[in-house]
Amino acid sequence: MATPALSSTDDIRTRAESALTRCGAQLAAYKGDALTARTPITGAALFGLRADTPADVDRAVEAAGTAFRAWRTTPAPVRGALVKRFGELLTEHKQDVADLVTIEAGKIRSEALGEVQEMIDVCDFAVGLSRQLYGRTMPSERPGHRLMETWHPLGVVGVISAFNFPVAVWAWNTAIALVCGDTVVWKPSELTPLTALACTALLDRAIAETGAPAGLGQVLLGAADVGERLVDSPLVPLVSATGSTRMGRAVGPRVAARFGRSILELGGNNAAVVTPSADLDLVVNASVFAAAGTAGQRCTTLRRLIVHEDVADTVVERLTSAYRRLPIGDPFREDTLVGPLINESSYTRMRTALDRAVEDGGTLCAGGERQLAEAAPDAHYVRPAVVRMPAQTAVVREETFAPVLYVLTYRDLDEAIRLHNDVPQGLSSGIFTADQNEAERFLAPDGADCGIVNVNIGTSGAEIGGAFGGEKETGGGRESGSDAWRSYMRRATNTVNYSGQVALAQGVNFSQ
């Protein structure tokens, strides 16, 4: 069977220009030769773009600070009206933004559209939140006193996002920050600048249409030096950074050194446990998506499958069969399930990890070979790999940001949990079981040590209603739903004395 042709670079470039224009982004204003917008679909360059300077970073932060001083006293439900309009514009331009996500990140159509839907969903969540920024009233120990807490806007929020979710993570932060009364300065990945330009144009339109202060959302294009300037700015009280653990090791201490706050969403080495009672149809279907979706380039990608020895052979056989049938190719084609890796470095890291795994005694059961090399020599399509490992070796304990699934075996659940937790990362996890006791054991305090712990579902596909984030080298940050909004605000404890007398706490007597 002939391999379906890939979209041509000229067609992709035209599609990108059209999407940007419909979103209101003025590409001409960003033309330059410092950055190159590329597409992993063909590996080709699309546009040359300018890069911001450290002085530009300072100006953006200053503008956001000026906007903050007006925005922080705007009633929260009015702030919610801006986010509501932004969500409406995202709905109107869902296809355009999804096109740019596919063009720059290589995501298949359903995943690209799903990412934009996450943006819309978090806007809906934030609009409701704008009327629910609750404090508490606590009983005072002193008569005639009221003790309470209030929450206030924090300031300028710096957002540094990664290529694999080029728009959703920014939206998680921005929608929540805006209703909390903050402003946002965004440094997107240099691999996905076009999506940032489109989303910023839509936000600017929402700001103008609702009469909100100009400058609430700023975007900065550039490499690491731009992000470093943002991280070091004393006018940015909160930095939300998504990326590798290595990046987090640099960002966290620098923000802490100036007594700022950080939300770190870093690496994941996610595992799922498969028990003998598990529904294997459910296991295979969920695992294939979790491990091969987004070409293995999600922070929540399933990287380790810890399977009971009684069902391991069957699970590996079924996974191997499914992997060999996965349609790989142009992410714009509706029948494609696995698109390209982002670049050559990702492919090199994948091949290196597979070589190390085999050296450690692993058996490559499926995948690992490059696809479409003749049709797209500058792109990097690869068949997702399944590797059966005799033990959890050093390479298994590392995060390889590519579609490599290691399969390990166990005899009892305690052993499985030890294997699960014996990695530096702690983002997402799951267990497949029909036994309620096993599920509860996995969810217990001495069970899975991750920020996201699932039962009978894979490690990918978190909903915006829950707080997203992980433990250990994943950084400990929380974004999106639940009470993650508190990270974007400052808390004040208030005591109101309506007694007409001075009464000190703890019964202290200081009368004259």
Side-chain angles (χ1 to χ4, degrees):
M1 178 190 293
T3 301
L6 296 172
S7 301
S8 72
T9 299
D10 287 342
D11 287 345
I12 293 170
R13 186 180 292 113
T14 299
R15 195 164 187 164
E17 288 177 326
S18 297
L20 287 164
T21 299
R22 285 192 293 269
C23 289
Q26 303 298 318
L27 185 60
Y30 293 91
K31 286 290 180 68
D33 57 8
L35 294 175
T36 301
R38 296 182 176 275
T39 177
I41 298 173
T42 63
L46 298 177
F47 309 106
L49 302 172
R50 65 168 174 78
D52 287 296
T53 65
D56 293 327
V57 177
D58 295 343
R59 281 191 288 270
V61 171
E62 184 176 349
T66 299
F68 168 71
R69 286 186 284 278
W71 191 237
R72 64 184 171 182
T73 55
T74 301
V78 177
R79 301 193 296 249
L82 164 61
V83 176
K84 179 180 180 181
R85 181 58 185 145
F86 179 49
E88 291 170 348
L89 290 173
L90 286 171
T91 302
E92 181 182 336
H93 293 277
K94 184 175 180 178
Q95 293 286 346
D96 297 323
V97 178
D99 276 357
L100 293 169
V101 171
T102 295
I103 287 167
E104 287 198 297
K107 286 191 175 181
I108 63 173
R109 293 303 292 156
S110 64
E111 289 191 278
L113 289 165
E115 178 167 356
V116 184
Q117 187 60 49
E118 278 194 41
M119 303 174 76
I120 297 166
D121 291 345
V122 80
C123 285
D124 286 345
F125 177 87
V127 172
L129 180 65
S130 69
R131 294 180 182 271
Q132 301 179 73
L133 300 172
Y134 298 138
R136 293 187 177 93
T137 298
M138 292 78 74
S140 173
E141 66 186 54
R142 292 171 283 186
H145 288 63
R146 178 159 57 90
L147 184 63
M148 63 181 181
E149 66 178 23
T150 51
W151 293 85
H152 302 290
L154 184 62
V156 179
V157 176
V159 177
I160 300 173
S161 59
F163 80 87
N164 60 325
F165 276 86
V167 291
V169 172
W170 167 74
W172 292 354
N173 284 277
T174 299
I176 304 300
L178 287 175
V179 299
C180 288
D182 302 328
T183 56
V184 176
V185 179
W186 180 20
K187 193 279 178 191
S189 168
E190 55 266 43
L191 300 176
T192 53
L194 302 180
T195 54
L197 298 183
C199 291
T200 300
L202 293 175
L203 179 59
D204 286 344
R205 179 178 163 187
I207 289 169
E209 290 180 358
T210 57
L216 290 179
Q218 307 276 330
V219 66
L220 298 166
L221 302 184
D225 59 325
V226 173
E228 289 170 0
R229 187 76 169 197
L230 184 61
V231 164
D232 291 337
S233 174
L235 302 179
V236 180
L238 173 64
V239 174
S240 176
T242 302
S244 66
T245 298
R246 178 183 58 80
M247 181 272 287
R249 290 189 193 281
V251 170
R254 292 175 76 146
V255 175
R258 58 176 180 81
F259 297 102
R261 304 184 195 174
S262 59
I263 299 173
L264 299 178
E265 300 289 356
L266 310 177
N269 192 351
N270 314 294
V273 173
V274 180
T275 72
S277 66
D279 179 338
L280 296 190
D281 289 336
L282 187 64
V283 169
V284 172
N285 290 334
S287 297
V288 170
F289 168 69
T294 324
Q297 298 171 120
R298 289 184 177 220
C299 52
T300 54
T301 289
L302 178 64
R303 308 203 182 279
R304 297 174 297 137
L305 199 61
I306 303 169
V307 188
H308 192 276
E309 58 186 14
D310 287 352
V311 294
D313 290 343
T314 301
V315 168
V316 170
E317 181 181 352
R318 294 185 61 176
L319 281 174
T320 299
S321 176
Y323 268 48
R324 288 172 178 160
R325 298 192 307 271
L326 282 172
I328 300 167
D330 189 333
F332 275 118
R333 289 180 57 88
E334 293 297 332
D335 58 347
T336 296
L337 292 181
V338 180
L341 294 174
I342 190 67
N343 54 27
E344 183 178 7
S345 296
S346 293
Y347 175 68
T348 300
R349 286 192 290 269
M350 178 178 178
R351 284 304 325 169
T352 300
L354 291 175
D355 290 343
R356 289 176 61 193
V358 171
E359 289 173 3
D360 290 343
T363 301
L364 180 58
C365 302
E369 64 271 16
R370 193 171 172 188
Q371 309 283 291
L372 305 173
E374 293 184 5
D378 296 322
H380 295 85
Y381 295 85
V382 65
R383 184 161 296 280
V386 176
V387 187
R388 191 159 184 178
M389 297 297 295
Q392 189 153 269
T393 62
V395 70
V396 180
R397 298 180 75 252
E398 299 170 4
E399 179 190 39
T400 300
F401 216 62
V404 178
L405 177 62
Y406 300 109
V407 180
L408 302 149
T409 58
Y410 75 95
R411 291 184 179 179
D412 65 75
L413 190 55
D414 285 343
E415 179 189 2
I417 292 173
R418 284 194 299 271
L419 280 171
H420 175 279
N421 294 346
D422 187 28
V423 295
Q425 310 85 359
L427 179 53
S428 186
S429 59
I431 186 170
F432 291 91
T433 178
D435 186 323
Q436 184 70 23
N437 289 336
E438 291 178 331
E440 295 295 341
R441 173 73 181 87
F442 196 69
L443 297 170
D446 59 347
D449 62 358
C450 293
I452 300 170
V453 185
N454 299 324
V455 176
N456 290 327
I457 191 171
T459 56
S460 285
E463 298 182 31
I464 60 93
F468 181 91
E471 301 300 322
K472 303 191 294 188
E473 288 190 1
T474 300
R478 292 298 185 275
E479 295 172 331
S480 191
S482 186
D483 64 350
W485 62 270
R486 295 186 177 197
S487 297
Y488 301 83
M489 304 194 81
R490 61 179 179 85
R491 183 199 313 245
T493 300
N494 314 128
T495 304
V496 178
N497 178 7
Y498 58 90
S499 70
Q501 301 178 359
V502 175
L504 303 180
Q506 290 85 44
V508 174
N509 185 353
F510 203 73
S511 60
Q512 297 185 43

